Amino acid sequence: MRDIDRFKGVIPPTTTPFTQEGALDLGTFRKQIRFMVNAGVHGVCVGGSTGEGHTLDSDELRATWEAAAEELNGRLPLVAGVIINSTRQAVERCSIARQAGAVALQVTPPYYVFKPSEDALVDHFRTIAQESGLPVIIYNVVPWCYLSPALLGRIMREVPQVIGVKQSNGDLKLLADLLAGLPDGKLVLTAVDALLYPSFALGAHGTIAANPAAVPAMVVALWNAVQRGDHATGLALHGKLLRLWNAIFCDDLPACVKYVQSLQGVPLSHPRAPMRLPDEARRRRIDEAFAALELAAAA
């Protein structure tokens, strides 16, 4: 297996469990890792946006990365999510991730309101890759610092350690353009949650996204169906996953993902304030969509 093949397939981003007071709940976090491993996933990503990574300080990130590495024990790759605004801060956190046991990085462009130039962004990711010594996946999600397919291709060609991109825009054409112009030996992972099936059918190499975090077994079933060419099953699973996505998609998405996980045996935990758990109306909507998944049949 090529090293890059380790990062293909379904790599759900973990949520970060908090107590009502906002402290880390590492016991529940470890149970979540075991839940994902038992679902047949191909890796996990810790510290991304579904994990409220922008709210975590360096010590909290270290604690979650170390706990995940211990639970995985080398069986699956640990991808560390880094959401930060400066090259210096990114290098610091990426160093912590490597020490904690991560084998790759998922890094956003700077996410605050000032967009660097294209040359500056190339240098940003070059420095992160060189200083960390780890493979880097660009998390292309920041609206005011969105990277075009052409710029992503340039970064991947000029910085060999950047192995791919996680494409998060809902426009499937952008995903298709990325795949069409992808340099040899690089990856495109989809985070187009509503369109995982067509993303896989187009040739996306896997996914890191919220729906896989919510129902990892169902998304693994979808991935496996497309890989074996069973598009009838893939389309049927797509319809059920789309209904769930429409039920959980909102500004409090990580909290909704936690609620869906709780329906599968992961203890329900709080998001970090000011985010709140879903209200009764949204819970009813999620319950109805979840019941329609028929998870036992999908697994």
Side-chain angles (χ1 to χ4, degrees):
M1 176 188 291
R2 298 179 306 164
D3 189 60
I4 200 169
D5 290 336
R6 301 174 65 197
F7 306 107
K8 293 182 177 179
V10 179
I11 303 176
T14 60
T15 60
T16 304
F18 299 106
T19 66
Q20 190 166 4
E21 295 73 30
L24 282 180
D25 180 355
L26 288 177
T28 296
F29 178 77
R30 289 177 178 273
K31 291 176 182 176
Q32 179 190 174
I33 297 291
R34 294 194 288 271
F35 158 70
M36 290 181 169
V37 171
N38 290 337
V41 304
H42 305 99
V44 296
C45 178
V46 177
S49 52
T50 301
E52 301 168 74
H54 59 289
T55 75
L56 301 175
D57 63 32
S58 295
D59 290 339
E60 290 170 327
L61 284 167
R62 184 192 299 273
T64 55
W65 290 331
E66 288 178 344
E70 286 181 9
E71 291 294 331
L72 294 172
N73 194 29
R75 292 172 294 170
L76 298 173
L78 169 60
V79 180
V82 175
I83 304 173
I84 208 68
N85 271 311
S86 75
T87 306
R88 179 174 180 175
Q89 290 171 308
V91 166
E92 176 191 5
R93 292 200 173 188
C94 292
S95 174
I96 294 171
R98 179 167 187 163
Q99 294 167 12
V103 297
L105 305 166
Q106 173 193 272
V107 185
T108 64
Y111 68 88
Y112 198 52
V113 296
F114 303 107
K115 181 177 181 177
S117 69
E118 291 195 357
D119 287 345
L121 285 166
V122 173
D123 287 342
H124 176 70
F125 285 106
R126 178 183 289 112
T127 301
I128 289 169
Q130 290 177 346
E131 292 293 328
S132 70
L134 292 176
V136 175
I137 298 165
I138 297 174
Y139 183 9
N140 197 27
V141 68
V142 180
W144 46 84
C145 193
Y146 210 72
L147 309 189
S148 68
L151 177 55
L152 288 164
R154 176 188 168 189
I155 295 172
M156 286 186 279
R157 284 190 296 271
E158 294 187 17
V159 186
Q161 302 97 322
V162 174
I163 62 169
V165 56
K166 171 182 167 180
Q167 179 62 25
S168 298
N169 188 284
D171 184 346
L172 206 59
K173 183 181 183 301
L174 286 176
L175 180 75
D177 287 342
L178 265 174
L179 287 164
L182 192 67
D184 290 342
K186 304 296 182 177
L187 301 172
V188 175
L189 303 174
T190 181
V192 187
D193 272 284
L195 299 169
L196 293 178
Y197 164 65
S199 296
F200 294 163
L202 280 169
H205 302 97
T207 180
I208 303 175
N211 246 2
V215 283
M218 178 68 79
V219 178
V220 169
L222 171 61
W223 170 259
N224 289 339
V226 175
Q227 299 313 300
R228 65 176 180 264
D230 183 358
H231 290 280
T233 296
L235 186 58
L237 292 171
H238 161 76
K240 295 177 180 181
L241 285 165
L242 178 59
R243 182 177 177 186
L244 179 69
W245 176 249
N246 289 339
I248 68 174
F249 179 64
C250 64
D251 289 335
D252 293 335
L253 176 60
C256 291
V257 172
K258 290 178 180 181
Y259 179 69
V260 177
Q261 290 178 342
S262 77
L263 300 176
Q264 299 160 87
V266 178
L268 181 62
S269 62
H270 291 268
R272 182 160 269 176
M275 189 179 295
R276 295 184 175 183
L277 285 169
D279 61 20
E280 185 177 349
R282 186 165 293 276
R283 288 190 187 205
R284 285 198 302 268
R285 188 178 176 191
I286 293 172
D287 289 344
E288 292 171 0
F290 180 80
L293 290 176
E294 300 172 351
L295 275 173

